[in-house]
Amino acid sequence: MAGMTVSTPSNHYDAIVVGLGAVGAAALYQLAQRGGKRSTRVLGIDRFAPPHDRGSSHGESRITRLAIGEGDAYVPLVQRSHVIWRELEARTGRSIMTRTGGLILAPRDGATDHHGKPDFVRRTIASAERFGIEHQVLDAAGIRTRFPQFHLQGNEIGYFEPEFGFVRPEQAIAAQLEVARASGAEVHEGEPVIALEGGRGGGTGDQPVKVRTATATYTADRVVIAAGAWLPEFLGQAARDAWHREFEVYRQVMYWFDASEAAGDFTAGRMPIFIWMYGDGQEDYMYGFPSANAARPALKVATEQYTRTTSPEALVREVDTAEIKAMYQSRIAGRFPKIGGRAIDARACMYTVTRDRHFVIDTLPDAPRVLVVSACSGHGFKHSAGLGEAIAQRMLGESPTADLRAFAHRPASKDNQ
Ligand SMILES: Cc1cc2nc3c(=O)[nH]c(=O)nc-3n(C[C@H](O)[C@H](O)[C@H](O)COP(=O)(O)OP(=O)(O)OC[C@H]3O[C@@H](n4cnc5c(N)ncnc54)[C@H](O)[C@@H]3O)c2cc1C
C-alpha cells in the first residue's frame, strides 16, 4: 500500500543502534563481534555517513589519558578502550592512537575546576595512585626544563602521565564500522530515525521496539540510542522532563595555529598533550595537542564554553576571524611564545552536557528495552571503545568488563556528587 511501511521478519533485528558516532560505532562493532557466535542480527542506522563532521566526533584528535579526575568509574572504560584500539589497529592497519605523554597544569594554590570537578590536578594524581598508573608530579621549574614550549607563571603544579595520547576519532569510527560490517552487521547511512515506539516489556515480553525512519520500519529486541547532540531532540519533551531536562548542547571551537616556524618543538615526542587551567574561572582553561600531521605543523588548541547553548540545527559551524584573533590574544600569545597568530584551520563541534558533567547510560523510564547512552560532557571519546563493549555485554546478558551502574540516571538531588 502506497505510503505505508511494513515490518516483516526480515526487518527484525536482535539489536539496533541509532547513531554511529563514537559510541554507536563502538557498540555496533562489539555487538557484531558477538553476533557470529549467537546468530545475532544487528543493524546500525545513522542520519549521515559516519565518520562525518556534523556531530561531536571530528577534528583529527581527541585526548586520551588513564588517570581520570572525573571519577574512578571511568578508569576501567578507558583502559579497555586502549586495548580495543590497539586490536583494531592490528586488524585494520589504521593508525588510531598515538602515545605522546601529557601534562595537566594548574596553579599550585588554586582549586581549579575541570569538567565540573574541583581541584582537578589533585583528583587526577589521587586517581593515578589508586589505580597504579605511572605518573610524575612536577613543579614549574621541572616543567620548564622538560617542556620549554610553555611560558609559565611560576606557581604551577603539573601532573605528567606517559600514557597520555591522542586518538584519531574519524579513524576509530571507520575501523569499528569496517569490522562490524565484515562481521555481518548491517549499516544504513543517510537514514534519520524519526520515531521509536514500544519497547515496554522488560526484555522478555512480547513487545519489540519499533524503529521508524523516513523509508522503513524495523523492529528490534533491544535498541541503543547514541544520537549525541541530537539526543535532547530525539528523546522529546516527555522523556526530557522525566530526566530533569538533563542535556544541554554547547558549541566548542578547535583551532590549529601554524607551528611551521618552530615545527620541531611541537612534534609528538617533544611536545606533550596538555590540559592547562591557568586561572580560577571555569573558562580560564585550554587544552592542546602536538602536531598530528607532519605535512602541516600546527599547535591544535581548544577551550570550553558553557554560557551559550545551541542545537545541531542552530550550530554556527563557521569560525570567523574575530574568534580566531580573540583565541590567540587571550590564550596563546604570552603562553606559547613561538606560536604566531596565523590559524591554518578552525572548526566548530558540539558538547552534549549533563548538569553534573557525568555520562548518563540508562534505559528509558517507560521502555526498558531502549538504552540511552550519552557519552557526553566533553570527555567521552577516550571511553567510547570500552563503553561499546560494556553496552554490548549488557544487551546480551554477559558479565560486563566495566561497570556502568555509576552512570544510571540520577535524580536531581544527587547531582554534583
Ligand atoms: C571540540 C571537542 C573536543 C573534544 N575533546 C575530547 C577529548 O579530548 N577527549 C575525549 O575523551 N572527548 C572529547 N570530546 C568529547 C567526545 O568527542 C564526545 O563525547 C564523543 O565524540 C561523542 O560521541 P557520540 O557518539 O555521543 O556523538 P556523535 O559522535 O556526534 O554521534 C552521534 C551520531 O548520531 C547520529 N544521529 C543523530 N540523530 C540521529 C537520528 N535521529 N537517526 C540516525 N542517526 C542519528 C549522528 O549523525 C551522529 O553520527 C570532545 C568533543 C568536542 C566537540
Side-chain angles (χ1 to χ4, degrees), residues 247-271:
F247 307 101
E248 301 277 20
V249 177
Y250 294 92
R251 175 179 184 262
Q252 312 292 357
V253 181
M254 304 169 274
Y255 303 83
W256 285 256
F257 285 98
D258 181 15
S260 52
E261 296 291 307
D265 290 345
F266 291 93
T267 52
R270 296 279 295 281
M271 174 76 184

Side-chain angles (χ1 to χ4, degrees), residues 190-393:
E191 190 175 337
V193 172
I194 49 184
L196 296 186
E197 292 158 24
R200 300 163 187 86
T204 53
D206 54 359
Q207 276 193 297
V209 189
K210 265 192 192 156
V211 177
R212 273 204 301 122
T213 71
T215 48
T217 297
Y218 312 97
T219 56
D221 294 333
R222 303 273 174 188
V223 171
V224 180
I225 305 179
W230 286 263
L231 187 63
E233 161 198 307
F234 193 82
L235 289 179
Q237 194 62 44
R240 256 181 301 167
D241 287 348
W243 281 19
H244 309 286
R245 300 178 192 281
E246 188 73 43
F247 307 101
E248 301 277 20
V249 177
Y250 294 92
R251 175 179 184 262
Q252 312 292 357
V253 181
M254 304 169 274
Y255 303 83
W256 285 256
F257 285 98
D258 181 15
S260 52
E261 296 291 307
D265 290 345
F266 291 93
T267 52
R270 296 279 295 281
M271 174 76 184
I273 280 173
F274 66 91
I275 295 172
W276 192 350
M277 291 150 275
Y278 48 81
D280 289 336
Q282 189 174 226
E283 292 176 17
D284 294 340
Y285 155 80
M286 67 176 155
Y287 62 92
F289 300 80
S291 262
N293 180 350
R296 197 185 75 139
L299 177 68
K300 178 187 169 188
V301 285
T303 57
E304 293 180 346
Q305 70 84 21
Y306 298 103
T307 46
R308 293 175 308 284
T309 57
T310 187
S311 67
E313 290 70 37
L315 176 72
V316 177
R317 294 182 186 274
E318 298 68 39
V319 181
D320 65 27
T321 49
E323 280 182 279
I324 293 170
K325 199 169 164 191
M327 176 71 184
Y328 180 75
Q329 287 177 346
S330 64
R331 297 173 204 257
I332 309 301
R335 295 196 177 84
F336 291 102
K338 290 195 176 173
I339 298 291
R342 194 175 84 84
I344 57 174
D345 201 355
R347 292 188 230 166
C349 190
M350 292 175 286
Y351 276 11
T352 309
V353 174
T354 60
R355 276 173 305 156
D356 64 3
R357 311 286 170 84
H358 284 301
F359 300 172
V360 172
I361 301 172
D362 212 338
T363 49
L364 283 178
D366 60 347
R369 290 167 178 245
V370 180
L371 184 70
V372 173
V373 184
S374 178
C376 55
S377 303
H379 58 108
F381 208 96
K382 66 180 80 56
H383 305 295
S384 58
L387 257 183
E389 181 179 57
I391 292 163
Q393 289 163 333

